[in-house]
Amino acid sequence: MIARSLLTGLVLAGGQGRRMQAAALEKGLLELNGKPLVEHACGHLAPYVDKVLISANTNLDRYAQYGDVVPDDLALGEYSGPLAGIASALRHVATPWLVVLPVDVPCPPVDLIERLCASVGDEGPRIAYARTSAGVHPLCMVAHSSLVDGLYDFLLSGERKVQFWQRQNDAVPVLFDDVGDAFFNINTPEDLLRASGLTE
């Protein structure tokens, strides 16, 4: 397990969220059982990390109530995907490790961060991400800060695919079995309604 003093948390809230925007809603600020999604995400990260960063490109003042906000680096282009948020955060971290949680995954496995962090090391893999028997969840990951320059080069070359970058860096998948709806993610107002029953 990575010591708390060596780990920064990142909430990914910087996406365009087109289906939510069609309903004039900012995904990370939507309330779920009385708290905005960003607060739920920060609550999952806080016990394990030295500091929480929030990747966001709109409503920066509101997100700043929950952590230090890091907008995407403009050098990477506008809306260059979630890896741009991760790359920009890696340029700001003061710890060797960054653990990432998307803002729209409101009820991740309770042992998510512990198991991801147990799968990496200074001499071993530098990225680990979650998967289940049904599929992969590459944005639930931990990554080493030394990867930042290579990630910038990857993005500046025009690449955007998360799993492609992870494979290039020998990322290890961590299997989570029998976790039910733990990786359910919110993309529509209907999903938000469903999630209210999962997190009560």
Side-chain angles (χ1 to χ4, degrees):
M1 180 65 187
I2 299 168
R4 180 174 179 171
S5 61
L6 303 178
L7 187 62
T8 298
L10 176 66
V11 178
L12 279 179
Q16 289 180 279
R18 291 182 179 92
R19 281 178 280 181
M20 284 298 188
Q21 286 183 355
L25 301 170
E26 167 74 19
K27 187 187 289 189
L29 299 173
L30 293 174
E31 287 209 354
L32 175 64
N33 296 334
K35 297 190 298 186
L37 290 177
V38 64
E39 187 173 341
H40 285 277
C42 289
H44 293 304
L45 292 170
Y48 303 96
V49 302
D50 181 64
K51 186 177 187 177
V52 175
L53 303 177
I54 298 169
S55 168
N57 294 299
T58 58
N59 293 284
L60 305 189
D61 290 343
R62 293 186 64 187
Y63 280 120
Q65 298 174 41
Y66 304 99
D68 289 355
V69 178
V70 181
D72 289 357
D73 187 340
L74 294 178
L76 297 173
E78 188 175 6
Y79 294 116
S80 295
L83 283 179
I86 294 168
S88 302
L90 284 171
R91 280 273 165 93
H92 286 79
V93 296
T95 60
W97 294 97
L98 181 74
V99 62
V100 182
L101 182 65
V103 77
D104 58 4
V105 178
C107 47
V110 294
D111 58 350
L112 173 69
I113 297 169
E114 290 176 291
R115 292 191 56 205
L116 290 177
C117 289
S119 301
V120 295
D122 291 329
E123 304 301 324
R126 294 185 296 165
I127 308 174
Y129 64 90
R131 76 172 182 93
T132 66
S133 57
V136 296
H137 305 277
L139 291 175
C140 294
M141 77 168 105
V142 62
H144 197 272
S145 61
S146 63
L147 296 166
V148 62
D149 289 339
L151 180 52
Y152 259 75
D153 291 343
F154 180 85
L155 291 165
L156 290 171
S157 75
E159 294 289 352
R160 298 288 181 267
K161 294 179 180 178
V162 179
Q163 283 248 273
F164 184 28
W165 173 70
Q166 289 175 331
R167 285 193 296 269
Q168 284 187 339
N169 289 278
D170 300 318
V172 294
V174 180
L175 178 64
F176 291 83
D177 267 340
D178 303 317
V179 292
D181 292 310
F183 290 103
F184 175 74
N185 67 301
I186 295 169
N187 289 307
T188 68
E190 292 76 20
D191 290 340
L192 183 68
L193 182 62
R194 179 185 170 194
S196 68
L198 300 176
T199 58
E200 288 178 336

